[in-house]
Amino acid sequence: MIRPLGRRTDPAASRQVDVVVRPASPADAPFLRRWRSEPAVRRFQPLHNVSVSRLRADLASQRPRDLYRGRGDRYTWLVEADGERAGWITLAIVNWEHGLSELGYALATRQQGRGTMTAALGQLLPELLLRTPLERIEARCAVDNEASRKVLEKLGFVQEGLLRSYFVLQGRRTDHHLYALLREDYIPGYG
């Protein structure tokens, strides 16, 4: 079983990093907009240019409580590290009837390589798998994205396949790994 992780060691600084995950609010839109434009963030994700006003409207329309009721289609959380906004996590609901969802995440360039996302997802996954109707959480990562692959595997995601020519990144089609974490993988004896 995965336990929530609120502190992670920053290997570069040999110190603990305090990590908090909270629902994103419209006030976070300028940060999301800025991060989405960073080359290191866009390297492995097909992020489109979106205005701050559009991001604000999207965040304002999300109702985090609906997640626990099996309603809604998209949720965004903000990741904070040492009290600063550091990145985001998204969850897109594919099908409530079958408990299917897709996870996405990214960190600002200066926050990468500190264990922050492992800690953030370590806090969020128990919430998703123990308190919502979700049964399966999928994640995809570019085959060249070693850091993302390591995060998913540390958290118990299982690589299920290769998605050939899945996204266009930097003008070329790229292969992606498909990972999934099932409630029955997460909770011993479930299923």
Side-chain angles (χ1 to χ4, degrees):
M1 184 164 180
I2 302 167
R3 70 182 202 291
L5 305 168
R7 298 175 72 85
R8 292 296 292 171
T9 300
D10 177 354
S14 297
R15 64 179 190 79
Q16 294 292 310
V17 178
D18 286 314
V19 177
V20 173
V21 178
R22 64 169 174 78
S25 73
D28 297 316
F31 296 94
L32 293 171
R33 171 73 170 96
R34 186 173 65 229
W35 296 329
R36 290 171 62 95
S37 67
E38 293 179 9
V41 174
R42 295 177 74 103
R43 180 176 173 204
F44 296 116
Q45 296 190 49
L47 298 171
H48 301 289
N49 291 325
V50 180
S51 70
V52 170
S53 61
R54 180 73 223 163
L55 288 168
R56 272 194 191 110
D58 288 347
L59 293 172
S61 71
Q62 294 179 24
R63 304 285 178 253
R65 290 184 189 158
D66 283 350
L67 179 63
Y68 302 97
R69 298 178 184 126
R71 295 191 304 230
D73 60 355
R74 186 167 180 84
Y75 301 92
T76 304
W77 291 268
L78 200 80
V79 177
E80 296 179 349
D82 291 336
E84 293 184 24
R85 292 174 175 101
W88 75 91
I89 300 169
T90 59
L91 185 75
I93 305 303
V94 176
N95 184 302
W96 277 116
E97 181 182 357
H98 299 288
L100 306 176
S101 63
E102 295 178 3
L103 183 71
Y105 51 87
L107 286 173
T109 304
R110 65 186 174 82
Q111 297 289 343
Q112 296 174 5
R114 301 172 60 197
T116 302
M117 191 53 70
T118 303
L121 288 170
Q123 291 178 35
L124 187 58
L125 288 171
E127 190 74 10
L128 297 176
L129 292 168
L130 300 175
R131 299 192 59 218
T132 75
L134 296 175
E135 295 284 337
R136 176 182 173 89
I137 301 172
E138 293 182 358
R140 291 151 183 76
C141 69
V143 295
D144 296 338
N145 192 344
E146 187 73 16
S148 188
R149 184 188 62 74
K150 286 180 180 178
V151 166
L152 293 170
E153 290 176 359
K154 282 180 189 175
L155 293 168
F157 281 77
V158 174
Q159 184 179 340
E160 294 186 335
L162 178 68
L163 303 169
R164 298 178 306 133
S165 196
Y166 192 67
F167 282 138
V168 175
L169 296 173
Q170 300 175 12
R172 68 179 181 89
R173 297 215 62 93
T174 59
D175 295 345
H176 280 64
H177 293 295
L178 171 63
Y179 282 87
L181 182 64
L182 308 180
R183 181 180 291 177
E184 65 190 53
D185 296 336
Y186 192 78
I187 304 170
Y190 180 85

